[in-house]
C-alpha cells in the first residue's frame, strides 16, 4: 500500500496532492494511517499497529481501513487498491 | 491628532468578478480621517480573496453559514470577540443580514458589539414581494407587480399590467414577455428553477440609475451618491460607472430613506424613463460593491456608519463630486499553500 | 497500557466553494439525556427505536402560550388538536392544563369523550361528519363547526326530525396574503359564500350561531396573516350583530403556528425565522381589541394550536444499523427508524444528534431508514460525527403528527414512553407485535394448507 509521490501531510491533518492540486483534511487516526503508509508499512502491519493502540476489534478496523483506502484511491492518493 | 482606535469585523470578502461589498467597505474605513481601524475579516469560504489581502484585512476568521442557525453564529462571534475585542460588525452578505439584525441587540448587550442596521420590520418592508406597498408608503413609484402561483393567473394579471411585462423569480431571474404565451413559457422556466411564487411586473423602459445611501434610522438621509453604470459584465454587474448630478434623484432618495427611517447603508436601483419619471426597482439592504465611489466623491459612507454605530454625531453630507468614475479591475494575488491550509484547517488566518 | 478510544479514519476533499468545519452545519453536540433520563437507559429498557414524550415540556409550552395570550386578551380558550397527537396520555396532560378538545372525526370525538372531556367542551371540526355523528354531537351539546352546505342542510333536517337545537359555528376560508389559500375547507369570505351561510343559519331557529372559525394554513411564518384573519372574522361578527342583532360568542382562529423545525428548502433554520408565540398573540389580540366591540360583547378567543405546543416535547431515539458508501462516494448511514415512524421527514430536515460523545470530526452523509424501499430517507444531507453500528441518536421535534400519521409498513410501531415531571418513565403505548397485526386478518379455508 504505497502513498503516491510527494503527498504532503501537515500536523493539522491537511493533505496536499501536488500532482492534482487537490487538498484534503483528515482526522488524527487518518493522519496516523497516512504516516504509517509513508513509512512503507504493509496493510497487515497497519492493522496490528492500530489494534495495539485503539480499543476496538479487528473486523471493525479491517472494514474501516478498506473504506479509507477506497477513498484514498478515489482521490488518487494511492494507485492500487486490493 | 491621535486617531481613535476601533476594531471592526467585516464580511463579504468575496472580491471576485461579481464582488461583495466587504473589500470596498474596508478600503473606505482604512482611509478614515478619524479612526485608526483594525479590520477583522469574516469569511464563509476559504478562497474569498479578501482573506489574503493582508494590507487591508488584519486578521480573518471563518464563520458558520446563516443556514447553521443563529446560535452557532453567536457562539463563533463570541469566540472571535474574546480574542479581538470587536467594537462593531458590518455584515455585507445578503443571506446573513436577517441573522445579524435578529442578533443585534444581544451582540450589543452581551458583548458590547455595535451594529447599525434597520429593524426587522423595516428590513422586510422592502422585499421584492412587497416593494409596491413600500413605494406607496414612502412616496416613490414602483412598477406594479403581482405574485402568482399558477399560469392561469397570467391572463387576468396581464390585462391589468399590459404587455410587455416582466416575469420574475422570487429571488433571481427575470425575463420580458411580449405575449401571454411567452409569459406562460417564462413562468414554467423560472418556476422550475426557483420555485413559486412568480412575480409579474409592469415593464418600464429607460436608463438604470443607482444610488448608494445611508440613513440614521431617525428619518435623516446622511449621504447619497447616484451613479449610472457605464459598462457592465456579462452578469449585469457594474464594471465602470460615473457619479451623477441629479437633484431629483437625491430628493427621492432623501424621501425614501427619511420616510422609511432606514438605518444603515443601502443601494436603491431605479429606472429613469424618457419622461424623467423614476421607478424604484429594488432596494438592497446593505452597501453596494461600488460604495467606494462615494468615498471618491467626498462622502465616506462606511466611516459615517461606524461613527453612528458608536454613538458619535454624524451630520448629513452636503455635497459630493459628480462626474467621477470608477473603473473596476481584477488582480491575481499569489498565495502560499500554508495560508490556504491555515484558513482551511484552523478557520483563522 | 490503556487503549485509546477508536474513531474510524476519514478523509475529505477540501472543495473550492465548499465550507470548512466552521462553515458547515454541525449538529454533533451530543444529546445524552432527555429530562434527566439517559437515552442509553431508555433504549435498554424500552427498545430501539423509541418515541419519548416530555410531560414537562408539554406543560411548559402550554403555560407559555396561555400566558402569551391571556396577558394580552381577557378571554382565551385553547382546545387540544387531537389529530396532532391523540395518545391519551398526551391529551390528558393538555386537558389537565385546561385545554378543551378539538376533533375532526367521530373516532377522535369518541376518544375525547373517553378522556372525560364534557361534550360541550368538544369542538367538532372537519368535512366528514355523518348524520349519526352529528346526532351524537347535538345530544352532547358540542360545538359543531360546519364545513359545507351539504353538512348544513343535513344538520337542519336532523334537528327538525329530533326536535333539538344545536350550537354551531361556520368555518371560513379567506385570503390572508399567504398562498396558496386553503379554500377547500369552509365557506369563502371574499366571494360572499360565508355571509350566505351565516344568513341561512340565522334564519333557522334550531341553529344557534355562536362562533366563527377559520384555520388559515399550517406552519405559518407570517404572524401578520393572523391579524388579517382575525380582522375578517371580526368583520363578519360585527355584520351579524348589525343585521341580526346577534352577539357572536367566540372567534376561533384555529391552529397553524409554526414549530422550530426547519422546512426542507428553507435556507435559514426554522428556529431563526418563526414568529414567537408573543408575536402571534400580539397581532391577534390587538386586532380584536381594536375592532370596536362593546366590552360585554367581546368574543372569546379560541385557539386550536397543535404543532407549536407538542412538537419539541417529542423525541425519537434510535440506533445505527449500518454504515455504507454509495456509488458516488457519499457516506450513508442506516438507522432503525424511517419514514414509517417519521412521516414529517417528508417535509422537515429534522435535527438529529448523537446520544454519546464524539470528536469534532464529522462527515456529510445521507441518513436512511430500515425499510427496503427507496423512499425511506430521513435526511438527504446532514453533517454528523463518525457514527458506528450500534451508536444511538436522538431526532428532535417529532411530537406533532408522527404518532398519528405513522405507518405500519414493513416494521411495527415501537413503544412510546412519557417522562413525567419527576423524571419517572411511563410506557404510554405498547409496541405492536405480529399478534397485533394478525388479529384483524381472516384467512379463507381453502388457503390454509400450503405445500412447498
Amino acid at each position: 500500500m504505497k502513498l503516491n509521490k510527494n503527498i504532503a501531510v501537515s500536523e493539522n491533518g491537511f493533505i496536499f496532492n501536488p500532482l492534482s492540486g487537490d487538498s484534503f483534511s483528515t482526522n488524527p487516526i487518518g493522519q496516523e494511517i497516512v504516516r504509517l503508509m509513508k513509512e512503507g508499512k504493509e496493510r497487515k502491519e497497519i492493522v496490528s499497529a492500530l489494534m495495539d493502540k485503539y480499543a476496538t476489534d479487528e473486523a471493525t478496523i479491517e472494514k474501516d481501513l478498506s473504506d479509507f483506502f477506497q477513498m484514498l484511491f478515489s482521490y488518487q492518493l494511492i494507485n492500487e487498491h486490493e | 491628532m491621535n486617531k481613535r482606535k476601533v476594531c471592526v469585523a467585516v464580511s463579504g470578502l468575496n472580491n471576485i468578478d461579481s464582488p461583495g461589498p466587504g473589500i470596498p467597505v474596508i478600503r473606505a474605513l482604512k482611509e478614515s480621517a478619524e479612526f485608526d481601524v483594525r479590520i477583522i475579516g469574516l469569511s464563509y469560504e476559504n478562497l474569498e480573496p479578501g482573506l489574503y489581502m493582508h494590507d487591508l484585512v488584519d486578521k480573518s476568521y471563518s464563520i458558520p453559514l446563516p443556514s447553521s442557525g443563529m446560535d452557532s453564529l453567536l457562539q463563533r462571534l463570541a469566540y472571535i470577540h474574546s480574542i479581538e475585542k470587536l467594537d462593531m460588525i458590518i455584515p455585507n452578505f445578503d443571506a446573513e443580514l436577517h441573522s445579524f439584525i435578529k442578533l443585534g441587540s444581544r451582540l450589543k448587550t452581551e458583548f458590547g458589539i455595535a451594529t447599525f442596521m434597520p429593524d426587522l420590520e423595516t428590513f422586510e418592508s422592502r422585499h421584492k414581494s412587497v416593494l409596491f406597498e413600500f413605494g406607496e408608503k414612502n412616496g416613490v413609484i414602483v412598477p406594479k407587480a403581482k405574485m402568482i402561483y399558477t399560469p392561469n393567473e397570467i391572463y387576468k394579471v396581464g390585462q391589468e399590467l399590459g404587455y410587455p411585462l416582466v416575469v420574475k423569480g422570487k429571488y433571481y431571474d427575470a425575463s420580458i414577455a411580449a405575449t401571454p404565451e411567452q409569459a406562460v413559457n417564462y413562468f414554467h422556466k423560472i418556476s422550475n428553477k426557483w420555485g413559486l411564487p412568480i412575480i409579474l411586473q409592469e415593464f418600464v423602459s429607460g436608463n438604470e440609475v443607482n444610488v448608494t445611501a445611508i440613513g440614521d434610522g431617525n428619518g435623516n438621509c446622511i449621504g447619497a451618491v447616484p451613479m449610472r453604470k457605464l459598462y457592465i459584465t456579462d452578469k449585469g454587474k457594474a464594471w465602470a460607472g460615473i457619479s451623477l448630478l441629479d437633484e431629483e434623484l437625491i430628493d427621492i432618495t432623501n424621501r425614501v430613506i427619511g420616510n422609511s427611517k432606514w438605518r444603515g447603508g443601502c443601494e436603491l436601483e431605479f429606472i429613469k424613463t424618457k419622461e424623467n419619471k423614476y421607478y424604484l426597482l429594488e432596494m438592497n439592504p446593505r452597501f453596494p460593491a461600488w460604495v467606494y465611489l462615494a468615498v471618491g466623491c467626498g462622502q465616506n459612507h462606511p466611516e459615517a456608519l461606524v461613527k453612528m454605530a458608536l454613538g458619535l454625531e454624524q451630520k448629513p453630507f452636503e455635497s459630493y463630486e459628480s462626474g467621477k468614475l470608477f473603473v473596476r479591475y481584477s488582480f491575481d494575488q499569489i498565495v502560499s499553500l500554508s495560508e490556504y491550509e491555515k484558513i482551511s484547517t484552523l478557520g483563522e488566518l | 497500557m490503556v487503549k485509546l478510544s477508536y474513531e474510524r479514519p476519514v478523509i475529505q476533499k477540501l472543495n473550492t466553494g465548499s465550507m470548512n468545519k466552521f462553515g458547515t452545519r454541525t449538529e454533533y453536540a451530543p444529546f445524552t439525556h432527555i429530562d434527566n433520563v439517559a437515552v442509553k437507559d431508555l433504549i435498554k429498557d424500552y427498545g430501539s427505536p423509541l418515541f419519548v414524550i416530555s410531560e414537562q415540556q408539554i406543560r411548559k409550552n402550554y403555560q407559555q402560550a396561555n400566558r402569551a395570550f391571556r396577558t394580552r386578551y381577557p378571554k382565551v380558550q385553547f382546545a387540544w388538536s387531537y389529530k396532532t397527537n391523540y395518545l391519551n396520555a398526551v391529551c390528558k396532560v393538555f386537558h389537565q392544563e385546561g385545554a378543551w378538545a378539538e376533533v375532526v372525526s367521530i373516532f377522535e370525538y369518541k376518544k375525547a369523550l373517553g378522556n372525560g372531556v364534557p361534550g360541550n367542551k368538544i369542538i367538532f371540526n372537519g368535512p366528514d361528519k355523518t348524520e349519526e355523528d352529528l346526532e351524537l354531537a347535538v345530544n352532547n351539546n358540542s360545538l359543531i363547526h360546519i364545513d359545507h352546505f351539504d353538512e348544513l342542510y343535513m344538520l337542519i333536517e336532523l334537528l327538525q326530525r329530533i326536535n333539538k337545537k344545536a350550537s354551531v359555528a361556520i368555518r371560513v376560508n379567506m385570503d390572508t396574503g399567504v398562498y396558496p389559500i386553503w379554500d377547500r375547507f369552509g365557506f369563502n369570505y371574499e366571494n360572499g359564500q360565508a355571509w350566505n351561510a351565516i344568513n341561512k343559519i340565522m334564519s333557522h331557529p334550531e341553529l344557534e350561531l355562536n362562533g366563527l372559525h377559520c384555520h388559515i394554513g399550517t406552519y405559518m411564518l407570517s404572524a401578520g396573516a393572523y391579524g388579517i384573519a382575525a380582522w375578517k372574522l371580526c368583520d363578519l361578527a360585527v355584520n351579524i350583530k348589525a343585521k341580526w342583532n346577534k352577539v357572536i360568542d367566540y372567534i376561533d382562529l384555529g391552529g397553524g403556528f409554526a414549530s422550530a423545525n426547519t422546512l426542507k428548502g428553507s435556507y435559514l433554520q426554522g428556529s431563526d425565522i418563526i414568529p414567537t408565540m408573543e408575536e402571534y398573540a400580539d397581532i391577534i389580540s390587538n386586532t380584536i381589541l381594536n375592532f370596536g366591540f362593546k366590552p360585554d360583547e367581546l368574543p372569546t378567543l379560541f385557539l386550536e394550536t397543535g404543532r407549536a405546543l407538542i412538537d419539541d416535547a417529542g423525541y425519537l431515539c434510535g440506533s445505527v444499523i449500518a454504515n455504507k458508501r454509495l456509488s458516488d462516494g457519499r457516506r450513508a448511514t442506516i438507522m432503525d427508524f424511517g419514514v414509517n415512524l417519521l412521516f414529517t421527514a417528508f417535509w422537515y430536515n429534522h435535527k438529529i444528534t448523537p446520544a454519546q460523545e464524539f470528536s469534532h470530526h464529522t462527515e456529510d452523509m445521507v441518513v436512511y431508514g430500515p425499510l427496503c424501499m427507496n423512499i425511506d430517507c430521513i435526511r438527504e444531507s446532514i453533517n454528523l460525527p463518525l457514527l458506528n453500528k450500534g451508536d444511538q441518536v436522538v431526532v428532535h421535534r417529532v411530537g406533532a403528527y408522527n404518532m398519528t400519521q405513522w405507518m405500519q409498513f414493513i416494521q411495527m410501531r415501537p413503544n412510546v414512553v412519557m417522562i413525567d415531571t419527576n423524571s419517572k418513565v411511563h410506557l404510554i403505548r405498547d409496541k405492536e407485535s405480529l399478534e397485533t397485526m394478525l388479529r384483524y386478518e381472516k384467512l379463507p379455508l381453502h388457503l390454509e394448507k400450503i405445500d412447498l
Side-chain angles (χ1 to χ4, degrees):
Chain A
M1 205 54 58
K2 265 189 79 179
L3 211 56
N4 287 344
K5 264 201 295 187
N6 300 326
I7 304 284
V9 189
S10 83
E11 293 153 26
N12 299 324
F14 181 86
I15 297 175
F16 176 65
N17 180 356
L19 193 67
S20 66
D22 288 332
S23 358
F24 309 87
S25 74
T26 183
N27 59 344
I29 189 164
Q31 258 173 275
E32 196 166 343
I33 295 167
V34 172
R35 188 177 51 74
L36 290 166
M37 290 168 74
K38 287 200 96 167
E39 286 170 13
K41 295 276 193 294
E42 289 301 316
R43 183 185 170 120
K44 262 192 188 154
E45 296 172 283
I46 295 174
V47 172
S48 80
L50 295 178
M51 288 279 293
D52 288 346
K53 191 161 172 189
Y54 295 99
T56 187
D57 55 279
E58 189 167 349
T60 305
I61 290 186
E62 283 285 354
K63 177 175 65 86
D64 291 344
L65 208 54
S66 289
D67 182 64
F68 189 66
F69 286 151
Q70 178 64 47
M71 293 314 286
L72 293 181
F73 181 71
S74 73
Y75 291 146
Q76 298 175 311
L77 294 169
I78 54 177
N79 276 337
E80 42 171 354
H81 177 50
E82 71 263 276
Chain B
M1 185 181 104
N2 259 351
K3 292 203 265 185
R4 174 171 169 185
K5 280 189 166 36
V6 290
C7 184
V8 182
V10 180
S11 68
L13 307 182
N14 50 326
N15 210 49
I16 50 172
D17 62 340
S18 160
I23 293 300
V25 165
I26 293 169
R27 277 184 79 196
L29 294 180
K30 285 284 183 185
E31 287 174 24
S32 166
E34 304 189 30
F35 300 116
D36 177 4
V37 186
R38 176 172 162 80
I39 296 291
I40 304 302
L42 304 176
S43 75
Y44 292 102
E45 302 197 16
N46 301 329
L47 288 176
E48 291 182 25
L51 285 169
Y52 306 98
M53 298 182 180
H54 303 305
D55 49 341
L56 290 173
V57 182
D58 297 285
K59 173 95 197 259
S60 293
Y61 294 87
S62 296
I63 57 170
L65 280 175
S67 56
S68 339
M70 295 191 311
D71 287 343
S72 51
L73 175 62
L74 193 66
Q75 234 176 10
R76 184 67 177 152
L77 293 174
Y79 166 77
I80 297 168
H81 183 64
S82 73
I83 299 166
E84 304 293 347
K85 301 283 167 283
L86 303 175
D87 293 302
M88 180 180 186
I89 300 177
I90 306 179
N92 290 305
F93 179 53
D94 281 330
E96 74 189 353
L97 298 175
H98 182 270
S99 311
F100 274 101
I101 289 174
K102 278 196 127 174
L103 286 177
S105 65
R106 287 185 69 187
L107 286 171
K108 185 78 207 164
T109 51
E110 289 172 35
F111 303 100
I113 304 173
T115 51
F116 202 75
M117 307 175 76
D119 60 31
L120 204 55
E121 202 183 323
T122 316
F123 175 78
E124 304 277 2
S125 72
R126 39 125 296 271
H127 261 299
K128 218 171 174 177
S129 54
V130 289
L131 192 67
F132 188 74
E133 289 77 12
F134 179 83
E136 282 189 324
K137 223 172 111 189
N138 297 306
V140 55
I141 327 173
V142 173
K144 274 194 222 112
K146 184 127 193 171
M147 277 194 289
I148 59 168
Y149 287 83
T150 68
N152 298 339
E153 296 171 74
I154 286 174
Y155 298 95
K156 200 175 141 230
V157 179
Q159 280 177 349
E160 268 173 61
L161 302 179
Y163 287 88
L165 52 73
V166 188
V167 186
K168 289 165 93 174
K170 198 175 171 192
Y171 299 110
Y172 304 100
D173 239 345
S175 294
I176 296 162
T179 63
E181 290 72 29
Q182 270 185 4
V184 172
N185 265 338
Y186 291 135
F187 178 96
H188 290 302
K189 227 166 143 181
I190 298 176
S191 64
N192 280 341
K193 209 159 158 196
W194 302 109
L196 294 172
I198 290 293
I199 298 163
L200 295 184
Q201 189 193 292
E202 176 190 1
F203 176 74
V204 185
S205 74
N207 281 327
E208 189 181 336
V209 282
N210 299 332
V211 184
T212 180
I214 176 169
D216 71 354
N218 299 319
N220 302 305
C221 180
I222 297 300
V225 175
M227 176 277 287
R228 187 165 79 84
K229 294 174 186 174
L230 292 178
Y231 210 10
I232 56 171
T233 66
D234 53 3
K235 284 183 182 157
K237 298 283 165 185
W239 172 337
I242 186 163
S243 61
L244 305 172
L245 176 71
D246 187 334
E247 282 174 19
E248 190 176 351
L249 193 50
I250 296 291
D251 282 348
I252 294 172
T253 302
N254 279 331
R255 200 156 67 224
V256 173
I257 301 286
N259 289 352
S260 66
K261 296 208 161 84
W262 190 263
R263 190 166 187 266
C266 67
E267 178 188 28
L268 299 160
E269 299 183 10
F270 292 93
I271 290 280
K272 182 182 181 184
T273 65
K274 276 196 215 110
E275 297 77 35
N276 286 331
K277 276 187 16 191
Y278 292 88
Y279 283 84
L280 178 67
L281 295 187
E282 218 165 287
M283 180 174 187
N284 296 315
R286 38 133 189 97
F287 287 129
W290 57 275
V291 66
Y292 190 75
L293 178 66
V295 182
C297 295
Q299 298 193 357
N300 192 333
H301 292 177
E303 180 192 43
L305 187 86
V306 173
K307 277 176 81 174
M308 292 191 287
L310 299 180
L312 304 172
E313 193 197 6
Q314 172 67 49
K315 289 212 175 77
F317 292 102
E318 277 167 2
S319 65
Y320 63 90
E321 230 177 300
S322 60
K324 279 262 184 193
L325 284 82
F326 77 88
V327 184
R328 199 169 270 166
Y329 76 115
S330 57
F331 179 90
D332 297 353
Q333 303 185 81
I334 302 304
V335 173
S336 73
L337 185 64
S338 66
E339 292 209 79
Y340 178 60
E341 177 190 335
K342 235 189 221 166
I343 188 74
S344 305
T345 54
L346 304 175
E348 297 181 21
L349 182 61
Chain C
M1 193 183 85
V2 182
K3 291 192 179 180
L4 299 174
S5 76
Y6 174 79
E7 176 181 80
R8 68 183 142 84
V10 60
I11 178 164
Q12 278 164 315
K13 192 169 179 171
L14 297 169
N15 289 321
T16 51
S18 84
M19 305 303 140
N20 57 72
K21 65 188 166 197
F22 303 98
T24 44
R25 181 184 298 188
T26 45
E27 304 178 1
Y28 52 73
F31 190 86
T32 56
H33 288 72
I34 300 173
D35 290 359
N36 303 319
V37 184
V39 172
K40 192 167 44 119
D41 295 340
L42 285 166
I43 287 182
K44 193 177 80 205
D45 296 345
Y46 296 95
S48 175
L50 172 71
F51 276 107
V52 180
I53 289 170
S54 160
E55 181 183 340
Q56 184 179 304
Q57 191 64 40
I58 297 181
R59 292 189 188 273
K60 209 173 113 190
N61 290 347
Y62 185 88
Q63 287 159 11
Q64 194 212 342
N66 202 28
R67 196 177 322 116
F69 277 91
R70 294 221 172 189
T71 49
R72 291 171 173 82
Y73 194 81
K75 297 184 327 197
V76 182
Q77 180 60 53
F78 280 85
W80 175 240
S81 156
Y82 265 51
K83 68 174 178 290
T84 313
N85 189 322
Y86 43 57
L87 290 175
N88 285 343
V90 170
C91 298
K92 289 271 203 170
V93 176
F94 282 108
H95 297 321
Q96 278 187 355
E97 288 289 335
W100 293 10
E102 184 263 322
V103 302
V104 292
S105 73
I106 197 66
F107 153 68
E108 290 185 359
Y109 185 92
K110 288 179 176 168
K111 227 166 182 279
L113 283 180
N115 279 331
V117 181
N120 64 357
K121 294 187 173 172
I122 301 177
I123 297 171
F124 198 175
N125 282 327
D128 177 19
K129 310 183 193 86
T130 65
E131 190 170 334
E132 201 184 332
D133 302 344
L134 286 172
E135 188 166 351
L136 182 64
V138 169
N139 288 331
N140 283 319
N141 301 315
S142 298
L143 289 67
I144 301 169
H145 287 189
I146 300 167
D147 185 77
H148 44 74
F149 278 112
D150 285 328
E151 180 183 349
L152 174 56
Y153 288 112
M154 178 165 64
L155 182 60
I156 291 169
E157 270 174 41
L158 166 75
L159 292 170
Q160 286 170 348
R161 182 168 55 75
I162 62 176
N163 198 20
K164 284 209 162 164
K165 288 185 75 160
S167 165
V168 301
I170 58 161
R171 171 147 177 186
V172 180
N173 67 61
M174 58 182 70
D175 183 353
T176 59
V178 173
Y179 306 94
I181 299 174
W182 272 23
D183 57 2
R184 59 171 286 190
F185 302 111
F187 304 89
N188 185 256
Y189 171 86
E190 285 81 15
N191 70 10
Q193 205 182 44
W195 185 239
N196 282 346
I198 286 166
N199 284 316
K200 179 93 197 166
I201 292 170
M202 292 307 299
S203 62
H204 278 272
E206 59 275 22
L207 292 171
E208 181 158 13
L209 183 66
N210 287 323
L212 295 168
H213 170 225
C214 71
H215 188 123
I216 56 177
T218 189
Y219 199 89
M220 301 293 286
L221 289 173
S222 152
Y226 284 93
I228 298 172
W231 192 95
K232 289 182 175 175
L233 291 188
C234 288
D235 179 55
L236 287 176
V238 165
N239 281 319
I240 293 166
K241 175 78 198 310
K243 177 166 179 187
W244 297 93
N245 196 30
K246 160 80 189 167
V247 175
I248 290 295
D249 262 1
Y250 67 89
I251 278 177
D252 181 347
L253 280 175
F257 298 163
S259 74
N261 261 312
T262 304
L263 285 177
K264 285 190 173 177
S266 165
Y267 180 66
L268 297 173
Q269 294 273 289
S271 54
D272 292 353
I273 51 172
I274 58 167
T276 62
M277 196 55 84
E278 283 72 20
E279 285 168 319
Y280 289 123
D282 241 4
I283 191 136
I284 292 172
S285 308
N286 287 341
T287 305
I288 307 177
L289 288 173
N290 294 331
F291 204 86
F293 289 103
K294 286 189 202 148
D296 57 329
E297 292 177 2
L298 200 62
T300 300
L301 172 61
F302 277 57
L303 294 157
E304 302 166 354
T305 313
R307 184 193 311 279
L309 297 183
I310 188 71
D311 222 4
D312 66 353
Y315 302 87
L316 177 59
C317 303
S319 313
V320 176
I321 294 176
N323 263 312
K324 65 201 298 184
R325 186 72 69 179
L326 300 176
S327 61
D328 60 1
R330 275 180 309 158
R331 165 74 62 186
T333 302
I334 306 170
M335 300 288 183
D336 62 0
F337 55 85
V339 293
N340 53 326
L341 303 182
L342 216 53
F343 201 80
T344 51
F346 286 123
W347 56 84
Y348 290 141
N349 282 330
H350 274 293
K351 179 177 174 180
I352 304 176
T353 49
Q356 53 270 299
E357 295 287 343
F358 279 97
S359 81
H360 67 275
H361 289 276
T362 61
E363 228 178 348
D364 198 47
M365 61 181 78
V366 193
V367 175
Y368 291 120
L371 306 183
C372 198
M373 286 287 284
N374 203 35
I375 54 158
D376 191 22
C377 178
I378 298 294
R379 287 287 302 263
E380 279 109 21
S381 170
I382 181 173
N383 219 260
L384 282 174
L386 310 175
L387 297 167
N388 295 309
K389 179 177 186 304
D391 283 342
Q392 294 163 352
V393 298
V394 177
V395 189
H396 300 252
R397 301 190 190 106
V398 304
Y401 294 103
N402 286 306
M403 280 156 267
T404 49
Q405 286 182 296
W406 50 5
M407 297 179 264
Q408 187 280 306
F409 174 56
I410 301 181
Q411 304 279 351
M412 272 157 309
R413 285 168 280 220
N415 281 326
V416 183
V417 297
M418 179 182 273
I419 303 177
D420 71 18
T421 49
N422 298 316
S423 295
K424 191 162 176 284
V425 183
H426 306 263
L427 182 66
I428 60 168
R429 191 179 192 276
D430 234 334
K431 62 173 184 285
E432 293 167 352
S433 62
L434 180 61
E435 289 69 46
T436 323
M437 296 303 127
L438 293 181
R439 188 177 308 158
Y440 304 100
E441 289 198 34
K442 305 264 184 270
L443 195 68
L445 250 180
H446 69 284
L447 296 178
E448 273 188 2
K449 193 162 180 282
I450 62 167
D451 187 13
L452 288 174

